[in-house]
Amino acid sequence: MAGHNKWSKIKRKKAANDVARAREHTKVARAIEVASRSCQGDMADISLQSAVAAARAVQLPKERIEKAIERGANPNAKDELSVIRRYDGMIPGNNGKIAVIIETLTENRNRTAANVRHLVTKIGGELLPTGANDWLFEHVGVVYVSRNKYSDEEEENATREPVDEDELLECALDGGATDIDFGPDEDEGDDADNPIVIKCETIGLLTLVQSLKSGGFVSTQFENHYLVRSEENKVPLNAEGSEKFEKFLDSMDEDMDVTTVYHNANFPDEVS
């Protein structure tokens, strides 16, 4: 009987993971369609490039990426146009209120607004006018750069070599970078878990990405983010507060219209 229970738990956990993965894949595929529609499938478009990079980061199959680009470039006349909507709010924590910025992608604003409001008020939070939390967050372009550089991009079997930090710094500054975080030393983490993070103004993201590409640097992911302005703006959580807020984030993630939730919660080390 114990073995049966253990197997049941394994099956439930696997099923939950499969559902979460499918939901994530559906979200990134929708984002590709929207970006592709706005540029008619032009891969030179920064929004489409960013959407594809995000899809690859969650291992969306190549065939689904290509189909999403095609559907966006050649939409059905009956297809509803999805738009990005933002919601600001405050969620109760154990040591003050947690500010959230919720980004959604939806073809039905009324449905999305009702769902977001329900999830926020259910936990005792409140929605605020859009932009109310801008004083706590900065909106910046963020580019994640590989610690390795292609020695020859034209070759199919191109070799890679470690990035020269001075060379990258010069290239990034020429492209409009406002901040560069090289992170820990190279031997403290592998390339996938330890990328170089470069920030810029949101309107300069395309210029920066193009500058890095021309310099032979590999941008693994790039998009506009809301980042907490300072450590003083973060709200510390204890174990109980962390568990409660994590459940809220999970409920947001389960909503197909919600793409990202930015917040200023500071989880304890053992939870984060």
Side-chain angles (χ1 to χ4, degrees):
M1 196 69 176
H4 172 74
N5 289 339
K6 181 177 181 181
W7 173 239
S8 297
K9 290 179 181 179
I10 292 173
K11 287 195 296 182
R12 285 198 298 271
K13 184 176 181 180
K14 182 181 184 302
N17 289 338
D18 289 344
V19 169
R21 185 182 302 108
R23 183 169 58 242
E24 189 172 35
H25 281 185
T26 299
K27 288 184 178 184
V28 294
R30 285 178 60 195
I32 290 175
E33 285 187 46
V34 172
S36 181
R37 177 180 289 198
S38 67
C39 67
Q40 290 74 53
D42 182 5
M43 281 304 300
D45 181 78
I46 184 66
S47 296
L48 182 54
Q49 290 181 30
S50 178
V52 170
R56 287 172 177 164
V58 297
Q59 299 180 336
L60 184 69
K62 181 180 179 181
E63 299 76 23
R64 288 194 63 182
I65 292 177
E66 293 174 346
K67 288 181 180 179
I69 294 174
E70 178 65 21
R71 283 196 301 268
N74 302 284
N76 188 304
K78 297 181 180 180
D79 290 344
E80 295 289 338
L81 179 62
S82 294
V83 295
I84 297 174
R85 298 283 290 178
R86 166 184 163 177
Y87 301 88
D88 290 34
M90 284 290 181
I91 306 299
N94 60 273
N95 191 30
K97 293 184 177 180
I98 303 166
V100 294
I101 293 178
I102 304 164
E103 285 193 340
T104 65
L105 183 62
T106 179
E107 78 289 347
N108 188 324
R109 299 184 183 186
N110 292 334
R111 177 196 68 213
T112 303
N115 289 347
V116 170
R117 183 178 297 278
H118 169 71
L119 293 173
V120 169
T121 56
K122 182 179 179 180
I123 198 175
E126 60 177 332
L127 286 181
L128 306 173
T130 301
N133 288 333
D134 280 347
W135 68 282
L136 291 169
F137 298 86
E138 58 177 338
H139 199 203
V140 299
V142 180
V143 183
Y144 297 93
V145 179
S146 169
R147 289 187 174 274
N148 291 301
K149 179 181 177 183
Y150 284 116
S151 59
D152 188 347
E153 283 190 301
E154 300 301 323
E155 294 294 333
E156 182 178 351
N157 298 317
T159 58
R160 284 183 158 193
E161 55 188 21
V163 162
D164 182 294
E165 293 188 356
D166 291 334
E167 183 182 349
L168 174 59
L169 179 61
E170 182 178 356
C171 183
L173 291 176
D174 287 343
T178 57
D179 184 69
I180 301 179
D181 182 5
F182 288 102
D185 294 336
E186 189 175 350
D187 60 356
E188 293 185 30
D190 60 30
D191 182 61
D193 298 329
N194 187 28
I196 299 168
V197 182
I198 304 178
K199 299 178 186 177
C200 66
E201 298 290 338
T202 54
I203 60 173
L205 185 59
L206 173 59
T207 300
L208 176 57
V209 171
Q210 290 177 333
S211 176
L212 294 169
K213 183 177 181 179
S214 65
F217 299 100
V218 183
S219 300
T220 57
Q221 194 172 349
F222 46 92
E223 56 191 334
N224 290 325
H225 275 308
Y226 287 98
L227 302 177
V228 180
R229 291 187 182 276
S230 71
E231 290 295 320
E232 296 178 354
N233 291 335
K234 291 186 177 181
V235 179
L237 297 178
N238 59 20
E240 181 180 355
S242 296
E243 183 178 1
K244 184 177 180 180
F245 189 61
E246 284 278 16
K247 288 182 178 179
F248 167 73
L249 294 178
D250 288 342
S251 69
M252 279 290 170
D253 187 55
E254 290 171 2
D255 190 299
M256 290 303 300
D257 293 338
V258 175
T259 56
T260 312
V261 178
Y262 302 98
H263 60 81
N264 66 338
N266 190 13
F267 293 97
D269 292 339
E270 62 271 19
V271 176
S272 59

